[in-house]
Amino acid sequence: MILHVYTSDDVWLRAASEFIFSGLSEAREVRNAREAPQRSLHLCLAGGATPKPIYEALVRDPRSVEISDARSIHLWIGDEREAEPGSGFRNSEMIAAAFKYSPTAFVLHQWPPGRRALAARTYEEELSTFASERVRANQPIFDLTILGMGEDGHTAGLFSLDDFQSPADSLKRATILPNSLVMLTEAPQEPKSRMTLAPEILRSSRRILVLMQGLTKVRVLIANLVGEREDPIKHFLNETCEVIARI
């Protein structure tokens, strides 16, 4: 895990954009070298306010068009809240607005609105169509996963270490098992009903980017690194992960 800390919004945004485009370029080269029949690129995105300017910068950057030549870039959403459309709580709506005017062939996969049990099942069915091809080819489902982190160390709709007690085993098999891609979790604050992709699916990404702002969050992250705390974010700080922080 590599930690980058910046004191300027512009430099923080630029560093995050460079990491994302580097990851996409690397994934595209892997696809080309292996002549993979499924050559689309797959990103898993975080919700919340922190990554929004990053997404808007991706839309404006001409490299998005260059990387997407002859293939589509699929955007998945790591976690969602059970909330009414238009409530301002849904990650899907923020991300859809950020990418609304993109000239690039981004394909956005949104968690459906409504009761979370049905929404999660529908989203899992949609993702499994792409995931099965990746698993059979011994490839990670996501080329890049972007995560945020709360001041309590939670990430991606994972609020408790109990959420890691039953890791998905779908990556060990040639097929995707039902109920192995998504989880239903509970947040300590409203809206409490959450749905998220399973931790093992997220952790298996080719590259992981954690975005954060604020000295308090950086201190929580460092406490996890040195063993003073164990929060959900700690389980993603592996060799494929880089953290880009603004203080």
Side-chain angles (χ1 to χ4, degrees):
M1 197 283 294
I2 301 174
L3 170 61
H4 307 270
V5 179
Y6 301 98
T7 58
S8 162
D9 284 337
D10 289 342
V11 177
W12 172 79
L13 190 151
R14 189 159 55 248
S17 297
E18 290 301 324
F19 181 93
I20 293 170
F21 282 115
S22 173
L24 290 176
S25 296
E26 175 187 284
R28 182 180 62 172
E29 292 307 313
V30 170
R31 296 282 176 276
N32 292 342
R34 297 188 179 188
E35 298 182 351
Q38 207 266 35
R39 299 174 64 190
S40 58
L41 303 176
H42 292 258
L43 282 69
C44 183
L45 305 183
T50 298
K52 184 179 179 182
I54 305 295
Y55 301 154
E56 293 171 342
L58 295 181
V59 169
R60 298 190 299 267
D61 199 305
R63 287 177 292 181
S64 293
V65 176
E66 178 186 347
I67 288 176
S68 66
D69 62 337
R71 64 183 54 74
S72 56
I73 300 177
H74 291 257
L75 305 177
W76 302 87
I77 302 172
D79 67 288
E80 187 55 281
R81 303 170 172 92
E82 184 181 85
E84 292 296 322
S87 64
F89 288 117
R90 289 178 53 81
N91 292 329
S92 299
E93 293 178 352
M94 180 279 287
I95 293 172
F99 286 91
K100 182 176 181 179
Y101 299 108
S102 172
T104 305
F106 288 116
V107 180
L108 177 59
H109 302 267
Q110 302 185 57
W111 296 79
R115 303 299 295 176
R116 66 172 181 165
L118 177 58
R121 184 162 63 249
T122 302
Y123 204 61
E124 180 176 57
E125 291 172 354
E126 185 174 1
L127 178 57
S128 67
T129 301
F130 298 92
S132 294
E133 295 182 37
R134 292 291 182 98
V135 171
R136 284 195 295 269
N138 196 30
Q139 292 288 305
I141 295 174
F142 296 118
D143 299 296
L144 171 65
T145 288
I146 299 175
L147 299 174
M149 191 195 79
E151 292 187 355
D152 59 355
H154 86 266
T155 188
L158 301 162
F159 297 90
S160 167
L161 296 180
D162 291 340
D163 294 331
F164 294 83
Q165 297 306 307
S166 300
D169 62 357
S170 59
L171 298 185
K172 302 175 185 177
R173 301 169 181 264
T175 58
I176 297 297
L177 303 177
N179 304 316
S180 65
L181 297 181
V182 301
M183 294 176 56
L184 303 182
T185 62
E186 299 295 324
Q189 70 278 345
E190 296 292 347
K192 293 186 176 182
S193 297
R194 305 293 177 92
M195 38 201 155
T196 181
L197 299 184
E200 287 301 306
I201 302 301
L202 299 173
R203 288 194 295 193
S204 69
S205 300
R206 188 181 304 281
R207 300 182 74 174
I208 297 173
L209 169 63
V210 179
L211 294 171
M212 64 177 60
Q213 291 186 323
L215 184 57
T216 299
K217 290 186 178 182
V218 173
R219 285 172 172 163
V220 170
L221 179 84
I222 293 174
N224 276 271
L225 287 174
V226 301
E228 294 178 356
R229 296 177 60 131
E230 186 177 1
D231 300 309
I233 190 64
K234 185 172 184 176
H235 293 261
F236 296 93
L237 305 179
N238 57 29
E239 65 279 0
T240 67
C241 175
E242 292 194 27
V243 180
I244 298 181
R246 160 73 164 92
I247 61 172

